Amino acid sequence: MKTAVYPGSFDPITNGHLDIINRSLRIFDRLVVAVLENKDKNPLFSTQERVAQLKEITKDMGNVEVRSFSGLLVDFCESVDSKIIIRGLRGVTDFSYEFQMALTNRSMDNDIETLFVSADTQYLFFSSSMVKEVAHFGGNIDNMVPPSVKEALKKKFPNLV
Ligand code: PNS
């Protein structure tokens, strides 16, 4: 059984993340979505909230597991018996950071492979940070996040309708 790990902050999960999950499932038998416990990043949603959101959104996908992790990603991969990391690439601006991260992970575990997956073009222009900014000012985020995430964002941003 080929398992891949899709790590991230997912603060919150966007339709772009969801598209990458669906695309990865066409390649791998099992996908572990790994939510970083960002201790020093001050996330909008707690780790528990982000894990719960992801579980809700992926509940009908039998071969997806959602876990949280802290510490090194390579150690988490080891713990779920995977050597494959999936990362989304939106464009060249993402590349240098992602490439650096891929090589850092490989320097710690030579067997780790990072696969870059691009989301559909309709999802390429936004990020979780952009979603939060638009939501903060009450803009329309309907095409950016799943409906359940929009409901969660409404509780954080009273301007959002
Ligand atoms: O969604 P993000 O914030 O871009 O995800 C970043 C993430 C979680 C993949 C990265 O911060 C990470 O792997 N953190 C765990 C610590 C680690 O392993 N660092 C070494 C590789 S840079």
Side-chain angles (χ1 to χ4, degrees):
M1 192 197 262
K2 269 270 176 239
T3 300
V5 171
Y6 180 35
S9 300
F10 303 108
D11 187 40
I13 180 170
T14 66
N15 285 337
H17 293 130
L18 193 54
D19 189 46
I20 286 170
I21 290 174
N22 281 313
R23 286 171 190 279
S24 304
L25 285 172
R26 294 185 201 151
I27 310 170
F28 296 98
D29 309 307
R30 173 179 168 239
L31 186 70
V32 180
V33 181
V35 179
L36 180 71
E37 288 183 26
N38 334 37
K39 290 213 167 55
D40 38 277
K41 264 197 177 176
N42 199 15
L44 178 66
F45 292 104
S46 69
T47 309
Q48 291 80 356
E49 285 174 316
R50 286 176 281 142
V51 167
Q53 287 165 8
L54 273 151
K55 281 191 173 165
E56 167 64 25
I57 290 157
T58 60
K59 66 175 187 283
D60 296 326
M61 305 175 189
N63 34 5
V64 176
E65 282 171 42
V66 183
R67 308 256 191 105
S68 61
F69 79 104
S70 56
L72 287 175
L73 179 58
V74 289
D75 292 338
F76 177 78
C77 289
E78 179 87 44
S79 75
V80 294
D81 204 20
S82 175
K83 292 288 181 194
I84 297 156
I85 296 168
I86 303 281
R87 290 290 288 170
L89 264 192
R90 281 165 304 190
V92 285
T93 45
D94 283 344
F95 183 75
S96 64
Y97 169 67
E98 292 296 334
F99 191 53
Q100 190 181 14
M101 199 154 68
L103 294 183
T104 304
N105 285 326
R106 188 182 276 165
S107 75
M108 291 181 279
D109 181 343
N110 193 41
D111 295 330
I112 286 277
E113 298 296 345
T114 300
L115 298 191
F116 297 115
V117 176
S118 292
D120 192 85
T121 46
Q122 64 183 306
Y123 305 125
L124 289 184
F125 66 95
F126 59 78
S127 60
S128 296
S129 320
M130 210 67 92
V131 166
K132 283 182 277 193
E133 185 160 324
V134 175
H136 175 75
F137 291 111
N140 187 339
I141 55 164
D142 289 357
N143 62 339
M144 299 182 190
V145 292
S148 57
V149 172
K150 182 179 175 186
E151 289 311 307
L153 283 162
K154 275 183 179 174
K155 293 188 182 127
K156 305 274 181 186
F157 300 116
N159 281 346
L160 188 62
V161 285

